[in-house]
Amino acid sequence: MAKCDVCGQQENMPYECRHCGGTHCGEHRLPENHDCSGLHDWNDPKGVFNSGFDDSVNSSAEASTTEKITSKLPFNTGSSGVLGYFRGNPTYTVLLLMWLTFVAQIATEFVLVATSTSPIIYDSIFVLTPQNPEYVWTWFTSIFAHGGIMHLVFNSIVIFFFGPLLSRYINDRSFWLLFIGSGVAAGLAQVLIQLLQGGSGSSGVLGASGAALAILGVMTILNPDLKVYFMFFIPMPLWVLTGGFAVISLLLVGGGMAGAGGIAHAAHLIGLVIGFAYGEYLKRTKNIRTPNQLQLGGGGPGGPGGPGGPGRGRGPF
């Protein structure tokens, strides 16, 4: 027999909470019903245990403002709906923001042309330029904006293949800090190096290349021998692919051509350096087991939040 920590009732088969270690009766077994201290270790104390699989949770926990709003939307916002793909999967959220931003770019260009408005407005919204680095918002919008459909597709491919893999080893917050932090640092470094190389009149910076290569850099440190397929059919270890990017960028930046060919080579290089540094940090502080080949699907150790559970497909890069 054991006594419930909340009501004192004697139980032959008590429940032990795996979050706080307390002993509880059937009525108080749920973390929400015994004021579990473990709730405070989560970013979403009210929602993390309310998975929808236990009706007693919904009846005992007061619906949040967010739940009230989402219940009125004309589409499924649960784990089985379209938004389920983005819960706990920052990679898909990043990709969605990139493509939505690209649509916004097209719409903005259309409006500017239709109204004969100066294109400077477009740059001030989406592009980080050497002329106006003080436009702080462009530090962030420029990460998600792209210079064309192929630019967007290439970066999307890198992020789509390697983002979910990285998400298995770090939490969402760390993923976003790496993505945004490396993207901002890469863009500012590109602008600074262009200015130092006498390129004050150079074009601005936009695109997620720096952030994408930071992700690539982390995975290269964690698993340099990961087998990938360059251009989808040329097999090689990941370190060769990443090393090729690094060498090309280093030679061009060192040769005073940081923006040669309209490509932000300095941003690529800084993104890789940040990725290498963070990957080394993870390698030294985390016990990480990595696969020997690239596997698609899965936003974390338990798989994506979307319908169908963890992905099982495999594919080349």
Side-chain angles (χ1 to χ4, degrees):
M1 298 279 292
K3 185 171 67 173
C4 175
D5 293 343
V6 177
C7 64
Q9 178 179 331
Q10 295 291 331
E11 286 285 327
N12 290 323
M13 299 181 66
Y15 296 90
E16 181 177 348
C17 179
R18 66 186 180 88
H19 302 288
C20 67
T23 301
H24 306 287
C25 64
E27 182 181 354
H28 297 107
R29 76 185 191 277
L30 296 175
E32 295 87 348
N33 293 346
H34 62 255
D35 194 24
C36 179
S37 59
L39 287 170
H40 302 294
D41 296 331
W42 298 78
N43 292 330
D44 186 11
K46 292 183 179 179
V48 67
F49 297 113
N50 186 359
S51 62
F53 292 107
D54 193 331
D55 292 336
S56 63
V57 176
N58 291 327
S59 61
S60 60
E62 183 180 355
S64 65
T65 303
T66 302
E67 290 172 333
K68 292 178 181 178
I69 295 174
T70 55
S71 66
K72 300 180 185 300
L73 295 177
F75 53 85
N76 187 352
T77 61
S79 60
S80 62
V82 64
L83 294 184
Y85 286 105
F86 303 98
R87 285 196 178 95
N89 197 333
T91 297
Y92 290 168
T93 306
V94 163
L95 292 172
L96 177 64
L97 289 175
M98 286 166 53
W99 284 87
L100 289 178
T101 301
F102 189 66
V103 171
Q105 290 178 254
I106 295 174
T108 302
E109 287 182 324
F110 177 81
V111 171
L112 293 179
V113 171
T115 59
S116 300
T117 307
S118 171
I120 295 178
I121 296 178
Y122 176 90
D123 289 349
S124 68
I125 297 174
F126 298 108
V127 186
L128 173 58
T129 64
Q131 297 80 21
N132 298 108
E134 73 277 8
Y135 291 173
V136 177
W137 59 90
T138 62
W139 297 6
F140 304 96
T141 57
S142 62
I143 301 174
F144 298 96
H146 286 79
I149 187 65
M150 293 309 298
H151 186 203
L152 175 60
V153 167
F154 177 80
N155 283 338
S156 295
I157 289 174
V158 176
I159 295 169
F160 177 79
F161 275 80
F162 291 98
L165 193 59
L166 178 59
S167 292
R168 299 178 186 181
Y169 312 121
I170 62 176
N171 58 36
D172 291 359
R173 180 176 179 272
S174 296
F175 186 99
W176 280 106
L177 286 175
L178 173 68
F179 188 87
I180 299 296
S182 60
V184 171
L188 291 175
Q190 178 70 32
V191 167
L192 176 61
I193 291 175
Q194 285 184 188
L195 290 173
L196 293 176
Q197 292 180 351
S200 59
S202 302
S203 58
V205 181
L206 74 172
S209 301
L213 287 174
I215 294 174
L216 196 66
V218 175
M219 292 311 306
T220 301
I221 294 297
L222 296 181
N223 194 352
D225 295 322
L226 177 68
K227 186 177 181 180
V228 297
Y229 289 82
F230 180 63
M231 301 300 292
F232 294 96
F233 64 90
I234 305 175
M236 62 179 62
L238 180 58
W239 71 266
V240 173
L241 177 67
T242 308
F245 277 116
V247 170
I248 292 173
S249 298
L250 186 61
L251 290 175
L252 289 172
V253 173
M257 297 181 288
I263 300 174
H265 298 288
H268 291 181
L269 186 60
I270 295 301
L272 281 174
V273 170
I274 293 174
F276 290 154
Y278 187 58
E280 191 63 33
Y281 166 78
L282 292 177
K283 189 175 182 180
R284 292 176 181 273
T285 59
K286 308 286 185 181
N287 183 21
I288 294 177
R289 299 177 62 185
T290 55
N292 58 9
Q293 62 183 355
L294 187 61
Q295 298 184 29
L296 300 185
R312 297 184 182 276
R314 297 180 180 179
F317 170 66

